[in-house]
């Protein structure tokens, strides 16, 4: 995990399910005193077909190889590569899993161990070849090659018979992925896993024709989506043009409005914001892929034109205080800490209501199954009552060593000092934070500031990585080192159910974990993105808290 707060850091993933990928989202410090803007959607331009959409991003590379990508189902990679399933992201609505290349989100066997998908008719890749189940199988198998590591890998721990498998390039194949005909693909799992339809929306489930060169495919991918990579200038830009083989009749998610999409890389975030604020020339049909920089938020909200083009999520990724239960063993002390933390002070450290919304649950807003509750409203008197007669030694608060992280840690420290607790802040570099929080025996800290955003919209992806006992140490993100056999069973039981069946259980599990107070949910980070006046259908939902690239249009 990279520094969970520092604004200069990009997305990173850490594995759950025994070494696969989940997301720790970096959080940026918002501008102090910025006015609240609660609207999640802007982009009032009339959607039209044609024109050029420009994406301004600070990153200097895009990996177009689905095996190595961690791209969400609504951002850049999904413009080029389709998957078996995908996400339906509609402004103001809860995220949903829907078919993409497949005719449905999968049919599961009675024992929950086998999932079957049938591809839609008439699917054709950029090179003119029919998109087949064999291409999906090859795409999945190549993710096991050492040279193609780095992508999301949930499927690696769920598919049966993968131990020791190193990919298809030496002629070996997975028996747990069957292709009985050109349109049918069957997956055999090690255990029932109701979130499999979400797993099938990750990049690994994109078609890749056999005969690919793993070393060069990232620059010459075969498109299955509405756009192909027409030109790639390393560190400068990527130009996407229409894929003439794509058919809108088979794709209900991507509107494919622009003729051309240009990703302009290596852009200074502040400069990009200034260009979008100015809203002139080609920048009218552009948007920023990075959250608006802290220095620009106040400027944007003070400019009526720019403010009307700022999309801010009502909520987003969870920023939390982990309590090391192996060191803070008294549950009433942990509950006292939960009551004592002034979450509005943390919110203020992030710039107020525009920068963050006060949190009370572990499941993040916008994820199916979440229900609002608050077991520990801020109450100094309640905290003091719980602490009465208890001796608590000095608490070490582990945090990243940057201004934003330290400011949040100080807000927590001051809250706890008000109820008589002594807190020593330990600011460390990113690698040291990761080593102390996710490795070893956890003896280096009592409290830790961290953040989390799931890779797909499932409550399981919120709760399992942070609270399953299997995620303690060895790189796991159960930073509170929380062990509860009852909760482990509840998580496993809900994970085995279908998405719809499990939905009613996640909120109860969330609340059950909270009774033990291993984590204090502090705030949900509110991401803000700026776009030009010519961009249409631009919005940011609580999840994934990023714009939906797949439905954007521009004034031609």
């Amino acid at each position: 995990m990279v520094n969970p707060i520092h604004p200069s850091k990009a997305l990173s993933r850490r594995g759950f399910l025994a070494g696969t990928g989940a997301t720790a989202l970096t959080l940026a410090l918002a501008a102090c005193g910025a006015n609240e803007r609660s609207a999640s959607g802007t982009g009032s331009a009339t959607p039209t077909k044609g024109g050029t959409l420009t994406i301004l991003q600070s990153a200097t590379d895009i990996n177009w190889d689905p095996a190595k990508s961690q791209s969400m189902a609504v951002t850049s990679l999904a413009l080029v590569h389709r998957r078996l399933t995908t996400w339906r992201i509609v402004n103001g609505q809860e995220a949903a899993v829907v078919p993409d290349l497949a005719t449905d989100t999968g049919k599961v066997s009675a024992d929950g161990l086998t999932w079957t998908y049938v591809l839609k008719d008439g699917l054709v890749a950029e090179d003119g070849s029919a998109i087949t189940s064999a291409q999906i199988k090859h795409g999945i198998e190549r993710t096991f090659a050492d040279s193609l590591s780095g992508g999301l890998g949930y499927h690696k721990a769920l598919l049966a018979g993968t131990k020791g498998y190193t990919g298809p390039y030496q002629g070996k194949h997975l028996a747990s992925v069957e292709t009985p005909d050109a349109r049918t693909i069957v997956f055999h799992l090690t255990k029932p896993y109701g979130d499999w339809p979400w797993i099938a929306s990750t990049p690994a489930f994109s078609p890749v024709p056999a005969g690919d060169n793993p070393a060069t495919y990232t620059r010459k991918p075969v498109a299955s989506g509405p756009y192909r990579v027409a030109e790639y200038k390393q560190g400068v830009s990527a130009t996407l043009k229409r894929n003439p083989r794509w058919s809108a009749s088979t794709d209900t998610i991507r509107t494919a409005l622009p003729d051309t999409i240009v990703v302009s890389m290596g852009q200074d975030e502040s400069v990009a914001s200034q260009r979008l604020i100015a809203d002139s020339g080609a920048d009218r049909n552009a948007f920023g892929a990075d959250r608006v920089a802290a220095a620009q938020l106040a400027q944007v909200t003070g400019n009526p034109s720019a403010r009307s083009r700022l999309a801010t999520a009502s909520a987003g990724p969870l920023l939390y205080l982990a309590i090391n239960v192996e060191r803070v063993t008294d549950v009433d002390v942990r509950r006292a800490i939960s009551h004592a933390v002034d979450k509005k002070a943390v919110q203020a450290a992030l710039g107020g209501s525009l920068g963050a919304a006060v949190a009370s649950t572990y499941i993040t807003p916008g994820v199916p199954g979440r229900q609002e509750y608050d077991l520990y409203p801020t109450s100094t008197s309640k905290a003091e009552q719980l602490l009465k007669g208890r001796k608590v030694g000095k608490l070490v608060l582990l945090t990243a060593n940057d201004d934003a992280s330290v400011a949040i840690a100080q807000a927590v420290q001051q809250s706890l000092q008000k109820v008589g607790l002594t807190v020593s802040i330990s600011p460390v570099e990113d690698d040291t934070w990761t080593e102390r929080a996710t490795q070893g025996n956890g003896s280096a800290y009592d409290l830790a500031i961290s953040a989390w955003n799931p890779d797909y919209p499932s409550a399981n992806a919120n709760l399992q990585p942070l609270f399953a006992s299997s995620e303690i140490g060895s790189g796991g993100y159960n930073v509170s080192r929380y062990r509860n056999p009852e909760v482990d069973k509840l998580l496993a039981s809900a994970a085995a159910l279908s998405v719809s069946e499990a939905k009613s259980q996640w909120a109860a599990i969330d609340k059950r974990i909270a009774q033990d107070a291993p984590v204090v949910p502090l705030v949900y980070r509110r991401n803000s993105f700026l776009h030009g006046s010519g961009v249409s259908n631009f919005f940011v939902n609580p999840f994934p808290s990023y714009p939906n690239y797949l439905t954007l249009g521009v004034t031609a």
Side-chain angles (χ1 to χ4, degrees):
M1 176 182 178
V2 296
N3 180 334
I5 309 298
H6 197 284
S8 68
K9 301 296 183 181
L11 286 174
S12 72
R13 269 80 178 177
R14 206 299 305 165
F16 80 86
L17 288 171
T20 60
T23 304
L25 186 71
T26 58
L27 304 177
L29 181 66
C32 294
N35 296 321
E36 179 176 6
R37 183 180 185 279
S38 59
S40 63
T42 62
S44 58
T46 302
T48 58
K49 190 171 183 178
T52 298
L53 172 69
T54 300
I55 303 172
L56 306 176
Q57 69 172 44
S58 59
T60 57
D61 190 22
I62 299 176
N63 197 321
W64 299 105
D65 191 325
K68 302 181 73 172
S69 176
Q70 299 179 359
S71 178
M72 291 180 287
V74 295
T75 54
S76 55
L77 195 78
L79 296 167
V80 175
H81 297 295
R82 296 175 68 179
R83 304 133 190 237
L84 275 180
T85 65
T86 189
W87 310 347
R88 184 180 68 231
I89 303 296
V90 178
N91 192 9
Q93 296 184 17
E94 199 173 68
V97 61
V98 295
D100 193 355
L101 293 172
T103 56
D104 55 32
T105 58
K107 290 183 171 58
V108 64
S109 61
D111 62 5
L113 296 177
T114 303
W115 285 84
T116 301
Y117 291 84
V118 176
L119 301 184
K120 296 173 181 175
D121 282 321
L123 298 173
V124 182
E126 172 194 353
D127 62 0
S129 64
I131 295 175
T132 66
S133 57
Q135 292 181 352
I136 304 288
K137 176 180 171 75
H138 180 67
I140 291 168
E141 289 182 334
R142 63 197 297 275
T143 66
F144 288 84
D146 290 341
S147 63
L148 294 174
S149 63
L152 297 181
Y154 297 93
H155 60 286
K156 295 181 182 180
L158 292 168
L159 287 171
T162 60
K163 185 176 181 179
Y165 183 65
T166 58
Y169 296 108
Q170 285 78 43
K172 296 182 180 180
H173 301 284
L174 288 173
S176 56
V177 183
E178 296 181 314
T179 53
D181 58 55
R183 291 181 57 208
T184 305
I185 187 164
V186 182
F187 301 100
H188 299 280
L189 309 187
T190 58
K191 60 182 178 181
Y193 200 74
D195 270 357
W196 186 257
W198 289 117
I199 303 303
S201 74
T202 59
F205 291 76
S206 301
V208 178
D212 66 289
N213 183 338
T216 61
Y217 193 77
T218 183
R219 296 291 174 257
K220 298 179 181 179
V222 179
S224 54
Y227 297 95
R228 58 184 176 85
V229 181
E231 183 181 40
Y232 191 90
K233 297 179 180 179
Q234 179 67 43
V236 178
S237 65
T239 300
L240 306 183
K241 295 285 188 180
R242 290 193 182 279
N243 171 14
R245 306 286 186 174
W246 174 80
S247 172
S249 65
T250 69
D251 193 340
T252 61
I253 297 300
R254 299 163 182 82
T255 57
L257 293 175
D259 288 332
T260 304
I261 298 176
V262 176
V263 184
S264 183
M265 296 182 283
Q267 300 295 312
D268 179 89
E269 294 176 30
S270 297
V271 174
S273 291
Q274 292 295 342
R275 287 172 55 181
L276 293 169
I277 290 170
D279 193 38
S280 63
D283 288 339
R284 293 181 66 253
N285 287 355
F287 76 91
D290 300 288
R291 295 178 296 275
V292 176
Q296 268 69 51
L297 267 179
Q299 180 183 0
V300 170
T301 55
N303 180 319
S305 172
R307 181 183 175 86
S308 70
R309 294 179 281 106
L310 183 72
T312 300
S314 59
L318 175 67
L319 172 65
Y320 63 93
L321 175 70
I323 306 174
N324 186 343
V325 302
E326 294 178 349
R327 291 170 62 87
V328 185
T329 58
D330 189 330
V331 66
D332 280 335
V333 172
R334 299 198 299 269
R335 290 169 179 166
I337 291 171
S338 299
H339 278 298
V341 173
D342 184 352
K343 297 177 183 180
K344 289 188 176 181
V346 175
Q347 182 186 46
L350 286 165
S353 57
L354 185 62
V358 170
S360 61
T361 68
Y362 304 137
I363 301 173
T364 48
V367 171
R370 180 182 183 270
Q371 293 180 14
E372 185 68 41
Y373 72 89
D374 190 357
L375 290 188
Y376 305 106
T378 301
S379 171
T380 300
S381 61
K382 182 64 175 178
E384 290 174 337
Q385 179 183 347
L386 287 165
L387 290 171
K388 190 175 182 179
R390 288 175 167 81
K391 293 183 179 180
V392 182
K394 180 185 292 186
L395 300 172
V396 176
L397 172 54
L398 184 68
T399 186
N401 188 20
D402 61 83
D403 291 344
S405 302
V406 172
I408 294 165
Q410 288 173 340
V412 170
Q413 179 190 48
Q414 291 166 11
S415 296
L416 298 185
Q417 285 176 338
K418 290 180 181 178
V419 297
L421 297 175
T422 302
V423 178
S424 173
I425 297 175
S426 176
V428 296
E429 298 304 313
D430 297 349
D431 290 345
T432 303
W433 188 99
T434 300
E435 179 183 357
R436 293 182 182 178
T438 71
Q439 305 286 345
N441 59 15
S443 61
Y445 65 95
D446 302 289
L447 310 169
I449 301 291
S450 191
W452 193 258
N453 197 53
D455 279 314
Y456 58 90
S458 166
N460 187 32
N462 273 118
L463 300 179
Q464 199 273 354
L466 302 186
F467 302 109
S469 59
S470 60
E471 299 306 304
I472 298 173
S474 301
Y477 272 83
N478 185 341
V479 179
S480 60
R481 309 184 74 83
Y482 174 69
R483 294 179 186 272
N484 186 321
E486 177 195 351
V487 168
D488 283 340
K489 290 180 180 179
L490 290 171
L491 289 170
S493 176
L497 298 176
S498 69
V499 171
S500 58
E501 290 173 328
K503 186 175 179 180
S504 62
Q505 298 194 21
W506 292 122
I509 297 173
D510 188 317
K511 188 176 291 187
R512 172 62 189 89
I513 296 168
Q515 290 172 5
D516 294 332
V519 160
V520 183
L522 299 174
V523 295
Y524 307 117
R525 179 70 172 96
R526 300 183 66 192
N527 289 342
S528 295
F529 296 85
L530 190 61
H531 65 88
S533 59
V535 179
S536 61
N537 201 30
F538 195 95
F539 63 90
V540 185
N541 275 354
F543 189 93
S545 202
Y546 275 80
N548 182 0
Y549 292 18
L550 308 187
T551 60
L552 298 178
V554 297
T555 53

